Amino acid sequence: MKVPFTKMQAYGNDYIYINTIAHPVEDPGLLSKKISDRHFGVGSDGLVLICASEICDFRMRIFNPDGTEAEMCGNALRSTAKYVYTYGLTEKKEFTIETLGGIKRLELTVTDKEVTDIRAHIGNPVFEPASIPVLTDGDRFLEQPVQAGDRTFTASSLSWGNPHTVIFVEDVDAVDLETYGPLLEHASCFPRRTNVTFAQVVDPEHIRIREWERGTGETLGCGTGCCTAVVIGALLGRCASAVEVTQPGGVLKVEQHEDGSVSMQGPSYIVFQGEYEYEA
C-alpha cells in the first residue's frame, strides 16, 4: 500500500502528516511504528492523520512511534494548521481542529500566500490529579518532591490532554536529561508516565527549557512543555503570564489569558514530501 506523506517540523517535533480525507489509512498504529523507526530514512516523532470532523473544520489524530494513539501535541497542532492551508484543504485563516485533548482554535499569519506564523489556542490546563494522572493526596500536584535515583526534584504537574510535569532549575544546561529524564518519566507517582520540562527563569518574561518527552527522549522543543512552564511559573509567581520561551529548536511566544486559556505562537516548516509503501 502506497501512502503519500509530508514531513513537517515545528520547533523540535518532526511528524509525518497524511491527509486521510483523500488517502484513508487502514492501520495507523502499524504505519506509525514503521514510519517513525529512527533507523528508517524518514524518521519522526510520530504520525499525524488529518481527518474529517463532524464538529470542527478538521480532526487531528496523532500516533506515537510505538503505535499508540496520543491525545494532543501543540507543535503537531500548529503544523496541522499549516498543512491544511498550504495544501488547499481550507482558505480560512481561523478555524478549529478536533483532538482527543479537546477542540483547539488556530489563527494563521499569511504573508505572500505563505503561512509564516501560527497561533494555537490550546485551551485551559487541567490540574485535577485524576485527569493528569498523578498520585497525590492534594487537589493539585504543585511543588511536590519526586525521587529520581540519587536526587529529589521539586515538581509540578498538569494536563493538556497529555500529562506534563515542570521542574524549575537554576541552569537547564547543567541537567543530565539522559539520566534523570527516564527516571522521572517512570516515577511511581505518574502511573501513565509523564513528559518532563526542565525550566530556567532568565527573567519574568523569558524562560529557557529542555524537554524530556515520554517514549521519545530529549527533544529540540515541545509546545505544550513551553506552555506548562509558563502556566506553572505564573501560578507560583516566578514569571509573567506572557513569556518568550527559548528551547533548542527555537522561541515560542506563550500567553495565558484572563480566562485561564493559553495560546502558543510560532512557525512550522515543511521538511519534505514522499511516498511510503507498507503492508497493512
Side-chain angles (χ1 to χ4, degrees):
M1 178 178 180
K2 290 186 177 180
V3 178
F5 66 83
T6 301
K7 183 174 183 179
M8 303 188 71
Q9 189 272 340
Y11 282 170
N13 287 128
D14 289 8
Y15 284 95
I16 300 302
Y17 287 77
I18 296 176
N19 172 14
T20 64
I21 300 171
H23 304 281
V25 173
E26 296 179 7
D27 190 340
L30 174 62
L31 179 57
S32 184
K33 285 193 288 186
K34 290 182 176 293
I35 212 164
S36 301
D37 184 350
R38 298 210 179 238
H39 297 290
F40 178 64
V42 173
S44 77
D45 291 320
L47 172 69
V48 175
L49 304 183
I50 298 169
C51 314
S53 171
E54 295 182 355
I55 58 175
C56 293
D57 292 286
F58 301 96
R59 178 185 175 205
M60 180 184 90
R61 296 182 68 190
I62 181 170
F63 291 84
N64 298 312
D66 63 2
T68 57
E69 187 165 4
E71 299 92 346
M72 201 273 292
C73 169
N75 282 338
L77 187 69
R78 295 203 329 279
S79 287
T80 299
K82 178 164 183 170
Y83 183 105
V84 297
Y85 185 89
T86 300
Y87 292 102
L89 277 68
T90 184
E91 296 181 351
K92 296 180 180 179
K93 296 179 183 178
E94 294 188 20
F95 46 84
T96 56
I97 295 178
E98 177 188 359
T99 76
L100 285 181
I103 296 172
K104 313 302 179 185
R105 182 167 61 89
L106 285 298
E107 299 175 12
L108 306 181
T109 299
V110 178
T111 305
D112 296 328
K113 299 183 179 180
E114 172 73 16
V115 177
T116 55
D117 209 8
I118 308 107
R119 176 176 292 213
H121 295 264
I122 62 172
N124 294 63
V126 175
F127 288 95
E128 289 78 6
S131 299
I132 294 176
V134 62
L135 303 179
T136 178
D137 293 330
D139 59 352
R140 291 188 176 190
F141 193 85
L142 294 177
E143 296 204 295
Q144 298 197 26
V146 177
Q147 189 68 32
D150 60 348
R151 289 191 60 177
T152 301
F153 293 94
T154 301
S156 303
S157 297
L158 52 74
S159 175
W160 304 99
N162 51 358
H164 274 275
T165 294
V166 64
I167 296 170
F168 286 95
V169 295
E170 291 187 3
D171 183 1
V172 291
D173 293 329
V175 177
D176 183 358
L177 253 67
E178 290 294 328
T179 296
Y180 295 110
L183 292 174
L184 289 162
E185 173 188 350
H186 293 275
S188 59
C189 59
F190 304 119
R192 297 182 192 170
R193 298 156 58 203
T194 186
N195 300 287
V196 182
T197 305
F198 285 93
Q200 171 189 344
V201 179
V202 179
D203 61 56
E205 297 180 350
H206 182 200
I207 288 177
R208 295 179 62 224
I209 75 162
R210 289 174 66 195
E211 181 79 9
W212 181 268
E213 191 169 280
R214 56 178 179 162
T216 301
E218 183 173 4
T219 67
L220 292 177
C222 175
T224 39
C226 290
C227 293
T228 299
V230 172
V231 168
I232 296 294
L235 184 63
L236 299 176
R238 296 173 181 264
C239 68
S241 57
V243 180
E244 287 193 347
V245 183
T246 300
Q247 51 196 331
V251 178
L252 275 183
K253 296 178 181 179
V254 176
E255 182 176 1
Q256 185 168 30
H257 307 280
E258 290 186 359
D259 63 358
S261 65
V262 177
S263 63
M264 67 171 82
Q265 185 170 346
S268 169
Y269 305 94
I270 295 173
V271 181
F272 65 83
Q273 296 174 286
E275 193 174 61
Y276 185 52
E277 187 169 359
Y278 79 110
E279 294 181 5

